[in-house]
Coordinates of all heavy atoms in Angstrom, one line a residue:
L16 N -15.5 -27.3 -143.8 CA -16.6 -26.9 -143.0 C -17.5 -28.1 -142.5 O -18.0 -28.0 -141.4 CB -17.5 -25.9 -143.7 CG -16.9 -24.5 -144.0 CD1 -17.8 -23.6 -144.8 CD2 -16.5 -23.8 -142.8
S17 N -17.7 -29.0 -143.3 CA -18.6 -30.2 -143.0 C -18.1 -30.9 -141.6 O -18.9 -31.4 -140.9 CB -18.8 -31.2 -144.0 OG -17.7 -31.8 -144.4
D18 N -16.8 -30.8 -141.4 CA -16.3 -31.4 -140.1 C -16.8 -30.6 -138.9 O -16.9 -31.2 -137.8 CB -14.7 -31.5 -140.1 CG -14.1 -32.3 -141.1 OD1 -14.8 -33.1 -141.6 OD2 -12.9 -32.1 -141.5
L19 N -17.3 -29.4 -139.1 CA -17.8 -28.6 -138.0 C -19.3 -28.7 -137.9 O -19.9 -28.0 -137.2 CB -17.4 -27.2 -138.2 CG -15.9 -26.9 -138.2 CD1 -15.6 -25.4 -138.5 CD2 -15.2 -27.2 -136.9
G20 N -19.9 -29.5 -138.8 CA -21.4 -29.6 -138.9 C -21.9 -28.5 -139.8 O -23.1 -28.2 -139.6
V21 N -21.1 -27.8 -140.6 CA -21.5 -26.8 -141.4 C -21.0 -27.1 -142.9 O -19.9 -27.4 -143.2 CB -21.0 -25.5 -141.1 CG1 -21.4 -24.3 -142.0 CG2 -21.3 -25.1 -139.6
S22 N -22.0 -27.0 -143.9 CA -21.6 -27.0 -145.3 C -22.0 -25.8 -146.0 O -22.8 -24.9 -145.5 CB -22.4 -28.2 -146.0 OG -21.8 -29.4 -145.6
S23 N -21.5 -25.5 -147.1 CA -21.7 -24.2 -147.8 C -22.2 -24.5 -149.3 O -21.7 -25.4 -149.9 CB -20.4 -23.4 -147.9 OG -20.5 -22.2 -148.6
L24 N -23.2 -23.8 -149.8 CA -23.8 -24.0 -151.1 C -23.9 -22.4 -151.7 O -24.6 -21.7 -151.1 CB -25.2 -24.7 -151.0 CG -25.6 -25.3 -152.2 CD1 -24.6 -26.3 -152.8 CD2 -27.0 -26.0 -151.8
C25 N -23.3 -22.4 -152.8 CA -23.3 -20.9 -153.5 C -24.4 -21.0 -154.7 O -24.1 -21.7 -155.6 CB -21.9 -20.7 -154.1 SG -21.9 -19.0 -154.8
F26 N -25.4 -20.2 -154.5 CA -26.5 -20.1 -155.5 C -26.0 -19.5 -156.8 O -26.4 -20.0 -157.9 CB -27.6 -19.2 -155.0 CG -28.8 -19.2 -155.8 CD1 -29.4 -20.3 -156.1 CD2 -29.4 -18.0 -156.2 CE1 -30.7 -20.3 -156.9 CE2 -30.6 -18.0 -156.9 CZ -31.2 -19.0 -157.3
D27 N -24.8 -18.9 -156.7 CA -24.3 -18.3 -158.1 C -23.6 -19.4 -158.9 O -23.4 -19.1 -160.1 CB -23.3 -17.1 -157.7 CG -23.9 -16.0 -157.2 OD1 -25.1 -15.9 -157.0 OD2 -23.1 -15.1 -156.9
S28 N -23.4 -20.6 -158.4 CA -23.0 -21.7 -159.1 C -24.0 -22.4 -159.9 O -23.9 -23.3 -160.7 CB -22.3 -22.7 -158.3 OG -21.2 -22.2 -157.7
Y29 N -25.3 -22.0 -159.7 CA -26.5 -22.7 -160.3 C -27.1 -21.8 -161.3 O -28.3 -22.0 -161.5 CB -27.5 -23.0 -159.1 CG -27.2 -24.1 -158.2 CD1 -26.2 -23.9 -157.2 CD2 -27.7 -25.3 -158.4 CE1 -25.9 -24.9 -156.4 CE2 -27.4 -26.4 -157.7 CZ -26.5 -26.3 -156.6 OH -26.3 -27.3 -155.8
Y30 N -26.3 -21.3 -162.2 CA -26.9 -20.5 -163.4 C -27.2 -21.7 -164.3 O -26.7 -22.8 -164.4 CB -25.8 -19.8 -164.1 CG -25.5 -18.4 -163.5 CD1 -24.3 -18.1 -162.9 CD2 -26.5 -17.5 -163.6 CE1 -24.1 -16.8 -162.4 CE2 -26.3 -16.2 -162.9 CZ -25.1 -15.9 -162.4 OH -24.9 -14.6 -161.9
R31 N -28.3 -21.5 -165.1 CA -28.8 -22.5 -166.0 C -27.7 -22.9 -167.0 O -26.8 -22.1 -167.3 CB -30.0 -22.0 -166.8 CG -31.2 -21.6 -165.8 CD -32.5 -21.6 -166.7 NE -33.6 -21.3 -165.8 CZ -34.1 -22.3 -165.1 NH1 -33.8 -23.6 -165.3 NH2 -35.2 -22.1 -164.3
E32 N -27.9 -24.1 -167.4 CA -26.9 -24.7 -168.4 C -27.3 -24.1 -169.8 O -28.4 -24.1 -170.2 CB -27.1 -26.3 -168.5 CG -26.2 -26.9 -169.4 CD -24.8 -26.6 -169.2 OE1 -24.2 -27.1 -168.3 OE2 -24.1 -25.9 -170.1
L33 N -26.2 -23.4 -170.3 CA -26.5 -22.7 -171.6 C -25.6 -23.3 -172.7 O -25.4 -22.6 -173.7 CB -26.2 -21.2 -171.4 CG -26.9 -20.5 -170.4 CD1 -26.5 -19.0 -170.1 CD2 -28.5 -20.5 -170.8
A34 N -25.1 -24.4 -172.6 CA -24.2 -25.0 -173.6 C -24.9 -25.0 -175.0 O -24.1 -25.1 -175.9 CB -23.8 -26.4 -173.1
H35 N -26.1 -25.1 -175.0 CA -26.9 -25.1 -176.4 C -26.9 -23.8 -177.1 O -27.1 -23.8 -178.4 CB -28.4 -25.6 -176.1 CG -29.1 -24.6 -175.3 ND1 -29.0 -24.4 -174.0 CD2 -30.0 -23.6 -175.7 CE1 -29.7 -23.5 -173.5 NE2 -30.3 -23.0 -174.5
L36 N -26.3 -22.8 -176.5 CA -26.2 -21.4 -177.1 C -24.6 -21.2 -177.5 O -23.8 -21.7 -176.9 CB -26.7 -20.4 -176.1 CG -28.0 -20.4 -175.6 CD1 -28.2 -19.3 -174.6 CD2 -29.1 -20.2 -176.8
S37 N -24.6 -20.4 -178.6 CA -23.3 -19.9 -178.9 C -22.6 -19.1 -177.8 O -23.3 -18.5 -176.9 CB -23.3 -19.2 -180.3 OG -23.9 -17.9 -180.0
F38 N -21.3 -19.0 -177.9 CA -20.6 -18.1 -176.9 C -21.2 -16.6 -177.0 O -21.5 -16.0 -175.9 CB -19.1 -18.0 -177.0 CG -18.4 -17.1 -176.1 CD1 -18.2 -17.5 -174.8 CD2 -18.1 -15.9 -176.5 CE1 -17.6 -16.6 -173.9 CE2 -17.5 -15.0 -175.6 CZ -17.3 -15.4 -174.3
E39 N -21.4 -16.1 -178.2 CA -21.9 -14.9 -178.4 C -23.2 -14.6 -177.8 O -23.6 -13.7 -177.1 CB -22.0 -14.4 -179.9 CG -20.7 -14.3 -180.6 CD -20.0 -15.7 -180.8 OE1 -20.7 -16.7 -180.9 OE2 -18.7 -15.7 -181.1
A40 N -24.1 -15.7 -177.8 CA -25.4 -15.5 -177.2 C -25.4 -15.7 -175.7 O -26.1 -14.9 -174.9 CB -26.4 -16.7 -177.8
R41 N -24.4 -16.6 -175.3 CA -24.3 -16.7 -173.8 C -23.7 -15.4 -173.2 O -24.0 -15.0 -172.1 CB -23.3 -17.8 -173.5 CG -23.9 -19.2 -173.8 CD -23.1 -20.4 -173.2 NE -21.6 -20.3 -173.5 CZ -21.0 -20.9 -174.5 NH1 -21.7 -21.6 -175.3 NH2 -19.7 -20.8 -174.5
D42 N -22.8 -14.7 -174.0 CA -22.2 -13.4 -173.5 C -23.2 -12.3 -173.4 O -23.1 -11.4 -172.6 CB -21.1 -13.1 -174.5 CG -20.1 -12.1 -173.9 OD1 -19.8 -12.3 -172.7 OD2 -19.7 -11.2 -174.6
K43 N -24.3 -12.5 -174.2 CA -25.3 -11.4 -174.1 C -26.5 -11.7 -173.2 O -27.4 -10.9 -172.9 CB -25.8 -11.1 -175.5 CG -25.0 -10.6 -176.5 CD -25.5 -10.4 -177.8 CE -24.5 -9.8 -178.8 NZ -25.0 -9.8 -180.2
F44 N -26.5 -12.9 -172.6 CA -27.5 -13.3 -171.8 C -27.5 -12.6 -170.4 O -26.5 -12.2 -169.9 CB -27.1 -14.9 -171.3 CG -28.3 -15.6 -170.7 CD1 -29.4 -16.1 -171.4 CD2 -28.2 -15.8 -169.3 CE1 -30.3 -16.8 -170.7 CE2 -29.2 -16.4 -168.6 CZ -30.3 -16.9 -169.2
N45 N -28.7 -12.3 -169.9 CA -28.7 -11.5 -168.7 C -28.7 -12.4 -167.5 O -29.7 -13.0 -167.1 CB -30.3 -10.8 -168.7 CG -30.4 -9.8 -167.5 OD1 -29.5 -9.7 -166.7 ND2 -31.6 -9.3 -167.5
F46 N -27.6 -12.4 -166.9 CA -27.4 -13.3 -165.7 C -27.8 -12.6 -164.4 O -27.7 -13.3 -163.4 CB -25.8 -13.6 -165.7 CG -25.3 -14.5 -166.7 CD1 -24.7 -14.0 -167.9 CD2 -25.5 -15.9 -166.6 CE1 -24.3 -14.9 -168.9 CE2 -25.0 -16.8 -167.6 CZ -24.5 -16.3 -168.7
D47 N -28.3 -11.5 -164.5 CA -28.9 -10.8 -163.3 C -30.4 -11.0 -163.2 O -31.0 -10.4 -162.3 CB -28.6 -9.2 -163.4 CG -27.1 -9.0 -163.2 OD1 -26.4 -9.7 -162.5 OD2 -26.6 -8.2 -163.8
A48 N -30.9 -11.7 -164.0 CA -32.5 -12.0 -164.0 C -32.6 -13.3 -163.2 O -31.9 -14.3 -163.2 CB -32.9 -12.1 -165.4
P49 N -33.7 -13.3 -162.5 CA -34.0 -14.6 -161.7 C -34.1 -15.8 -162.7 O -33.7 -16.9 -162.2 CB -35.5 -14.3 -161.1 CG -35.5 -12.8 -161.0 CD -34.7 -12.3 -162.2
E50 N -34.5 -15.6 -163.9 CA -34.7 -16.8 -164.8 C -33.3 -17.4 -165.2 O -33.2 -18.5 -165.8 CB -35.4 -16.3 -166.0 CG -36.8 -15.8 -165.7 CD -36.9 -14.4 -165.3 OE1 -35.9 -13.6 -165.6 OE2 -37.7 -14.1 -164.5
A51 N -32.3 -16.6 -164.9 CA -30.9 -17.2 -165.2 C -30.5 -18.3 -164.3 O -29.5 -19.0 -164.7 CB -29.9 -16.0 -165.0
F52 N -31.1 -18.5 -163.2 CA -30.7 -19.5 -162.3 C -31.6 -20.8 -162.4 O -32.7 -20.7 -162.7 CB -30.9 -19.1 -160.7 CG -29.9 -17.9 -160.5 CD1 -30.1 -16.6 -160.8 CD2 -28.6 -18.2 -160.1 CE1 -29.3 -15.6 -160.7 CE2 -27.7 -17.2 -159.9 CZ -28.0 -15.8 -160.0
D53 N -30.9 -22.0 -162.2 CA -31.6 -23.2 -162.2 C -32.1 -23.5 -160.7 O -31.6 -24.3 -159.8 CB -30.7 -24.3 -162.5 CG -31.3 -25.7 -162.8 OD1 -32.5 -25.8 -162.4 OD2 -30.7 -26.5 -163.4
T54 N -33.1 -22.7 -160.3 CA -33.7 -22.8 -158.9 C -34.2 -24.2 -158.6 O -34.0 -24.6 -157.5 CB -34.8 -21.7 -158.7 OG1 -34.2 -20.5 -159.1 CG2 -35.3 -21.6 -157.4
E55 N -34.7 -24.8 -159.5 CA -35.2 -26.2 -159.4 C -34.1 -27.2 -158.8 O -34.3 -27.9 -158.0 CB -35.9 -26.7 -160.6 CG -37.1 -25.9 -161.1 CD -36.6 -24.7 -161.9 OE1 -35.6 -24.6 -162.3 OE2 -37.5 -23.8 -162.1
L56 N -33.0 -27.0 -159.5 CA -31.8 -28.0 -159.2 C -31.3 -27.4 -157.8 O -31.0 -28.4 -157.0 CB -30.8 -27.9 -160.1 CG -29.5 -28.7 -159.9 CD1 -29.8 -30.2 -159.8 CD2 -28.4 -28.4 -160.9
F57 N -31.2 -26.2 -157.5 CA -30.8 -25.7 -156.2 C -31.7 -26.2 -155.1 O -31.3 -26.8 -154.1 CB -30.8 -24.2 -156.1 CG -30.3 -23.6 -155.0 CD1 -28.8 -23.7 -154.8 CD2 -31.0 -23.0 -154.0 CE1 -28.3 -23.1 -153.7 CE2 -30.4 -22.5 -152.8 CZ -29.1 -22.4 -152.6
R58 N -33.0 -26.1 -155.3 CA -34.0 -26.7 -154.3 C -33.8 -28.2 -154.1 O -33.9 -28.7 -153.0 CB -35.4 -26.4 -154.8 CG -35.8 -25.0 -154.6 CD -37.4 -24.9 -154.9 NE -37.8 -23.5 -154.8 CZ -38.7 -23.0 -155.6 NH1 -39.2 -23.8 -156.5 NH2 -39.0 -21.7 -155.4
H59 N -33.7 -28.9 -155.3 CA -33.5 -30.3 -155.2 C -32.3 -30.7 -154.4 O -32.3 -31.6 -153.5 CB -33.4 -30.9 -156.6 CG -33.1 -32.4 -156.7 ND1 -34.0 -33.3 -156.4 CD2 -31.9 -33.0 -157.0 CE1 -33.5 -34.5 -156.5 NE2 -32.2 -34.4 -156.9
H60 N -31.1 -29.9 -154.6 CA -29.9 -30.2 -153.9 C -30.1 -30.0 -152.4 O -29.7 -30.7 -151.5 CB -28.8 -29.5 -154.4 CG -28.2 -30.1 -155.7 ND1 -27.2 -29.6 -156.4 CD2 -28.5 -31.2 -156.3 CE1 -26.9 -30.4 -157.3 NE2 -27.6 -31.4 -157.3
L61 N -30.8 -28.9 -152.1 CA -31.1 -28.6 -150.6 C -31.9 -29.6 -150.0 O -31.6 -30.0 -148.8 CB -31.8 -27.2 -150.6 CG -31.0 -25.9 -150.6 CD1 -31.9 -24.7 -150.5 CD2 -29.9 -25.8 -149.6
M62 N -32.9 -30.2 -150.7 CA -33.8 -31.2 -150.1 C -32.9 -32.5 -149.8 O -33.1 -33.1 -148.9 CB -34.9 -31.5 -151.0 CG -35.8 -30.3 -151.1 SD -36.3 -29.4 -149.5 CE -37.1 -30.8 -148.7
R63 N -32.0 -32.7 -150.9 CA -31.1 -33.9 -150.6 C -30.2 -33.7 -149.5 O -30.0 -34.6 -148.7 CB -30.4 -34.2 -151.9 CG -31.2 -34.8 -153.0 CD -30.5 -35.1 -154.3 NE -29.4 -36.0 -154.0 CZ -28.3 -36.3 -154.9 NH1 -28.4 -35.8 -156.0 NH2 -27.4 -37.0 -154.6
L64 N -29.7 -32.6 -149.3 CA -28.8 -32.3 -148.1 C -29.6 -32.4 -146.9 O -29.1 -33.1 -145.9 CB -28.2 -30.8 -148.3 CG -27.1 -30.7 -149.2 CD1 -26.8 -29.2 -149.4 CD2 -25.9 -31.5 -148.9
K65 N -30.9 -31.9 -146.9 CA -31.7 -32.0 -145.7 C -31.9 -33.4 -145.3 O -32.1 -33.8 -144.3 CB -33.0 -31.2 -145.9 CG -33.9 -31.2 -144.8 CD -35.2 -30.4 -145.1 CE -36.1 -30.4 -143.9 NZ -37.3 -29.7 -144.2
G66 N -32.1 -34.3 -146.4 CA -32.4 -35.6 -146.2 C -31.1 -36.5 -145.9 O -31.2 -37.6 -145.8
G67 N -30.0 -35.9 -145.7 CA -28.7 -36.5 -145.3 C -27.9 -37.1 -146.4 O -27.0 -37.9 -146.2
E68 N -28.2 -36.6 -147.7 CA -27.4 -37.1 -148.8 C -26.3 -36.1 -149.3 O -26.6 -34.9 -149.1 CB -28.4 -37.3 -150.0 CG -29.4 -38.4 -149.9 CD -30.3 -38.4 -151.1 OE1 -29.7 -38.6 -152.2 OE2 -31.5 -38.3 -150.9
Q69 N -25.3 -36.5 -149.7 CA -24.3 -35.7 -150.3 C -24.7 -35.3 -151.8 O -25.4 -36.1 -152.4 CB -22.9 -36.4 -150.5 CG -21.8 -35.6 -151.1 CD -20.5 -36.4 -151.0 OE1 -20.0 -36.5 -150.0 NE2 -19.9 -36.8 -152.1
I70 N -24.4 -34.1 -152.2 CA -24.9 -33.7 -153.5 C -23.6 -33.2 -154.3 O -22.6 -32.8 -153.8 CB -25.8 -32.4 -153.4 CG1 -25.3 -31.3 -152.6 CG2 -27.2 -32.9 -152.8 CD1 -24.9 -30.1 -153.5
P71 N -23.8 -33.2 -155.7 CA -22.8 -32.8 -156.6 C -23.0 -31.4 -157.0 O -23.7 -31.1 -157.9 CB -22.8 -33.8 -157.8 CG -24.3 -34.1 -157.9 CD -24.8 -34.1 -156.4
A72 N -22.5 -30.4 -156.3 CA -22.7 -29.0 -156.5 C -22.0 -28.7 -157.9 O -20.8 -28.9 -158.0 CB -22.3 -28.2 -155.3
P73 N -22.7 -27.9 -158.7 CA -22.1 -27.4 -160.0 C -21.0 -26.4 -159.7 O -20.9 -25.7 -158.7 CB -23.3 -26.8 -160.8 CG -24.2 -26.5 -159.8 CD -24.0 -27.5 -158.6
I74 N -20.1 -26.4 -160.7 CA -19.0 -25.4 -160.7 C -19.3 -24.5 -161.9 O -19.3 -25.2 -163.1 CB -17.6 -26.0 -160.7 CG1 -17.4 -26.9 -159.5 CG2 -16.5 -24.9 -160.8 CD1 -16.1 -27.7 -159.7
Y75 N -19.4 -23.2 -161.8 CA -19.7 -22.4 -163.0 C -18.5 -21.7 -163.6 O -17.7 -21.2 -162.7 CB -20.8 -21.4 -162.6 CG -21.5 -20.8 -163.8 CD1 -22.4 -21.7 -164.5 CD2 -21.1 -19.7 -164.5 CE1 -23.1 -21.2 -165.6 CE2 -21.7 -19.2 -165.6 CZ -22.6 -20.0 -166.2 OH -23.3 -19.6 -167.4
D76 N -18.3 -21.8 -164.8 CA -17.1 -21.1 -165.5 C -17.6 -19.7 -166.0 O -18.3 -19.6 -167.0 CB -16.8 -22.0 -166.6 CG -15.6 -21.5 -167.5 OD1 -15.3 -20.2 -167.3 OD2 -15.0 -22.2 -168.4
Y77 N -17.4 -18.7 -165.3 CA -17.9 -17.4 -165.6 C -17.2 -16.8 -166.9 O -17.9 -16.0 -167.5 CB -17.6 -16.4 -164.4 CG -18.5 -16.8 -163.2 CD1 -17.9 -17.7 -162.2 CD2 -19.8 -16.5 -163.0 CE1 -18.6 -18.0 -161.0 CE2 -20.5 -16.8 -161.9 CZ -19.7 -17.7 -160.9 OH -20.6 -18.0 -159.9
A78 N -16.1 -17.2 -167.2 CA -15.5 -16.7 -168.5 C -16.2 -17.2 -169.8 O -16.2 -16.5 -170.7 CB -13.9 -17.0 -168.4
N79 N -16.6 -18.4 -169.7 CA -17.2 -19.1 -170.8 C -18.7 -19.2 -170.7 O -19.4 -19.7 -171.6 CB -16.7 -20.4 -171.2 CG -15.2 -20.2 -171.6 OD1 -14.9 -19.7 -172.5 ND2 -14.2 -20.9 -170.8
H80 N -19.2 -18.7 -169.5 CA -20.7 -18.9 -169.3 C -21.3 -20.2 -169.4 O -22.3 -20.5 -170.0 CB -21.4 -17.9 -170.2 CG -20.9 -16.4 -170.3 ND1 -20.8 -15.7 -169.1 CD2 -20.4 -15.8 -171.3 CE1 -20.3 -14.5 -169.5 NE2 -20.0 -14.5 -170.8
L81 N -20.6 -21.2 -168.8 CA -21.0 -22.5 -168.8 C -20.7 -23.3 -167.6 O -19.8 -22.9 -166.7 CB -20.1 -23.4 -169.9 CG -20.3 -23.0 -171.3 CD1 -19.2 -23.7 -172.1 CD2 -21.7 -23.4 -171.9
R82 N -21.5 -24.3 -167.3 CA -21.1 -25.1 -166.1 C -19.9 -26.0 -166.5 O -19.9 -26.5 -167.6 CB -22.4 -26.0 -165.7 CG -23.4 -25.4 -165.0 CD -24.3 -26.4 -164.5 NE -25.6 -25.7 -164.1 CZ -26.8 -26.3 -163.8 NH1 -26.9 -27.6 -164.2 NH2 -27.8 -25.6 -163.6
K83 N -19.1 -26.2 -165.5 CA -17.9 -27.2 -165.8 C -18.4 -28.6 -165.7 O -19.4 -28.9 -164.9 CB -16.7 -26.9 -164.8 CG -16.1 -25.6 -165.0 CD -14.9 -25.4 -164.1 CE -14.2 -24.2 -164.4 NZ -13.0 -24.1 -163.7
P84 N -17.8 -29.5 -166.2 CA -18.2 -31.0 -166.1 C -18.0 -31.5 -164.8 O -18.7 -32.3 -164.3 CB -17.4 -31.6 -167.2 CG -16.4 -30.8 -167.8 CD -16.7 -29.3 -167.3
E85 N -17.0 -30.9 -164.0 CA -16.6 -31.4 -162.7 C -17.7 -30.7 -161.7 O -18.3 -29.7 -162.0 CB -15.3 -30.8 -162.3 CG -14.1 -31.1 -163.2 CD -14.0 -30.0 -164.2 OE1 -14.2 -28.8 -163.9 OE2 -13.9 -30.4 -165.3
T86 N -17.9 -31.4 -160.7 CA -18.8 -30.9 -159.5 C -17.9 -30.9 -158.2 O -16.9 -31.4 -158.1 CB -20.0 -31.7 -159.4 OG1 -19.6 -33.0 -159.1 CG2 -20.9 -31.7 -160.6
I87 N -18.6 -30.3 -157.2 CA -17.9 -30.3 -155.9 C -18.8 -31.1 -155.0 O -20.0 -30.8 -154.9 CB -17.8 -28.8 -155.3 CG1 -16.8 -28.0 -156.2 CG2 -17.4 -28.8 -153.9 CD1 -16.7 -26.5 -155.8
P88 N -18.4 -32.2 -154.3 CA -19.3 -32.9 -153.4 C -19.5 -31.9 -152.1 O -18.6 -31.4 -151.7 CB -18.4 -34.1 -153.0 CG -17.0 -33.7 -153.5 CD -17.0 -32.7 -154.5
V89 N -20.8 -31.9 -151.9 CA -21.1 -31.0 -150.6 C -21.8 -32.1 -149.7 O -22.8 -32.8 -150.1 CB -22.1 -30.0 -150.9 CG1 -22.5 -29.2 -149.8 CG2 -21.4 -28.9 -151.9
A90 N -21.3 -32.2 -148.5 CA -21.8 -33.3 -147.5 C -22.9 -32.5 -146.8 O -23.0 -31.4 -146.5 CB -20.6 -33.6 -146.5
P91 N -23.9 -33.4 -146.4 CA -25.0 -33.0 -145.5 C -24.4 -32.5 -144.2 O -23.4 -33.1 -143.7 CB -25.9 -34.1 -145.4 CG -25.0 -35.4 -145.6 CD -24.0 -34.8 -146.5
A92 N -25.0 -31.5 -143.6 CA -24.6 -31.0 -142.3 C -25.7 -30.4 -141.5 O -26.7 -30.3 -142.1 CB -23.5 -29.8 -142.6
T93 N -25.5 -30.1 -140.3 CA -26.4 -29.6 -139.4 C -26.9 -28.2 -139.9 O -28.0 -27.8 -140.0 CB -25.8 -29.4 -138.0 OG1 -25.5 -30.7 -137.5 CG2 -27.1 -28.9 -137.1
V94 N -25.9 -27.4 -140.3 CA -26.1 -26.2 -141.0 C -25.6 -26.1 -142.4 O -24.4 -26.5 -142.7 CB -25.3 -25.1 -140.1 CG1 -25.5 -23.7 -140.8 CG2 -25.9 -25.0 -138.6
V95 N -26.4 -25.6 -143.3 CA -26.0 -25.4 -144.7 C -26.1 -23.9 -145.0 O -27.2 -23.3 -145.0 CB -26.8 -26.1 -145.6 CG1 -26.4 -25.9 -147.1 CG2 -26.8 -27.7 -145.4
L96 N -24.9 -23.3 -145.1 CA -24.8 -21.8 -145.5 C -25.1 -21.6 -146.9 O -24.4 -22.3 -147.7 CB -23.4 -21.3 -145.1 CG -23.0 -21.2 -143.7 CD1 -21.6 -20.8 -143.5 CD2 -24.0 -20.3 -142.8
C97 N -26.0 -20.8 -147.3 CA -26.3 -20.5 -148.7 C -26.1 -19.0 -148.9 O -26.5 -18.1 -148.2 CB -27.8 -20.9 -149.0 SG -28.1 -22.6 -148.8
D98 N -25.4 -18.8 -150.1 CA -25.1 -17.4 -150.4 C -25.3 -17.3 -151.9 O -25.3 -18.2 -152.7 CB -23.8 -16.9 -149.9 CG -22.7 -17.6 -150.8 OD1 -22.4 -18.8 -150.6 OD2 -22.1 -16.9 -151.7
G99 N -25.7 -16.0 -152.3 CA -25.5 -15.8 -153.8 C -26.6 -14.6 -154.1 O -27.5 -14.2 -153.4
I100 N -26.4 -14.1 -155.4 CA -27.2 -13.2 -155.9 C -28.6 -13.7 -156.1 O -28.8 -14.8 -156.6 CB -26.6 -12.5 -157.2 CG1 -27.4 -11.4 -157.7 CG2 -26.4 -13.6 -158.2 CD1 -26.8 -10.7 -159.0
L101 N -29.5 -13.0 -155.8 CA -31.1 -13.3 -155.9 C -31.4 -14.5 -155.2 O -32.4 -15.1 -155.5 CB -31.3 -13.4 -157.4 CG -31.1 -12.2 -158.2 CD1 -31.4 -12.5 -159.8 CD2 -32.0 -11.1 -157.8
L102 N -30.7 -14.9 -154.1 CA -31.0 -16.1 -153.4 C -32.3 -16.1 -152.8 O -33.1 -17.1 -152.9 CB -29.9 -16.3 -152.2 CG -30.1 -17.5 -151.4 CD1 -30.0 -18.8 -152.2 CD2 -29.1 -17.5 -150.3
F103 N -32.8 -14.9 -152.4 CA -34.1 -14.8 -151.7 C -35.3 -14.2 -152.6 O -36.4 -13.9 -152.2 CB -34.1 -14.0 -150.4 CG -33.1 -14.7 -149.4 CD1 -32.0 -14.1 -149.1 CD2 -33.7 -15.9 -148.9 CE1 -31.2 -14.7 -148.0 CE2 -32.9 -16.5 -147.9 CZ -31.5 -15.9 -147.5
H104 N -35.1 -14.3 -153.9 CA -36.0 -13.8 -154.9 C -37.2 -14.7 -154.8 O -38.3 -14.2 -154.9 CB -35.4 -13.7 -156.4 CG -36.4 -13.2 -157.3 ND1 -37.2 -14.1 -158.0 CD2 -36.9 -12.0 -157.7 CE1 -38.1 -13.5 -158.7 NE2 -37.9 -12.2 -158.6
D105 N -37.0 -16.0 -154.8 CA -38.1 -17.0 -154.9 C -38.4 -17.5 -153.5 O -37.4 -17.9 -152.9 CB -37.8 -18.0 -155.9 CG -38.9 -18.9 -156.3 OD1 -40.1 -18.6 -156.0 OD2 -38.7 -19.9 -157.0
E106 N -39.6 -17.3 -153.1 CA -39.9 -17.9 -151.8 C -39.6 -19.3 -151.6 O -39.2 -19.9 -150.6 CB -41.4 -17.6 -151.4 CG -41.6 -16.1 -151.1 CD -43.2 -15.8 -150.8 OE1 -43.7 -16.8 -150.1 OE2 -43.6 -14.8 -151.1

């Protein structure tokens, strides 16, 4: 997409890092609550994209309720499409 001047960023990949919790605790975690998301990191990444910087977007492992160590490089673009659950909860 970035070749077309469009990049994509998925808010659902920005669940908070929960590696400090056991799998059982992570499995019971409420992922539908606004607090489940690392909104600060998402905003930081959006600002970096706006500033013309590439960002390392997280990849979320939904089966284990963890962020993967790998990331996806997202290039800055004229348009950044954002999608995800609760994306507009926080102004």
Side-chain angles (χ1 to χ4, degrees):
L16 289 177
S17 63
D18 293 345
L19 303 172
V21 178
S22 286
S23 178
L24 199 56
C25 182
F26 189 50
D27 292 359
S28 295
Y29 283 81
Y30 281 116
R31 294 198 178 277
E32 180 57 68
L33 300 175
H35 62 285
L36 299 175
S37 68
F38 176 80
E39 291 76 19
R41 293 191 311 266
D42 199 41
K43 293 177 183 175
F44 190 81
N45 183 2
F46 289 96
D47 293 326
E50 301 79 30
F52 292 92
D53 192 345
T54 305
E55 299 82 15
L56 179 60
F57 186 78
R58 283 185 186 150
H59 176 71
H60 280 177
L61 281 176
M62 296 312 299
R63 286 183 56 194
L64 287 169
K65 184 178 178 182
E68 296 178 52
Q69 179 173 293
I70 57 107
I74 302 170
Y75 201 78
D76 177 351
Y77 295 95
N79 292 302
H80 311 298
L81 293 170
R82 283 190 194 162
K83 291 186 176 186
E85 312 85 45
T86 58
I87 296 174
V89 177
T93 304
V94 174
V95 178
L96 295 174
C97 299
D98 71 286
I100 185 173
L101 299 175
L102 181 62
F103 295 112
H104 176 268
D105 194 10
E106 290 183 31

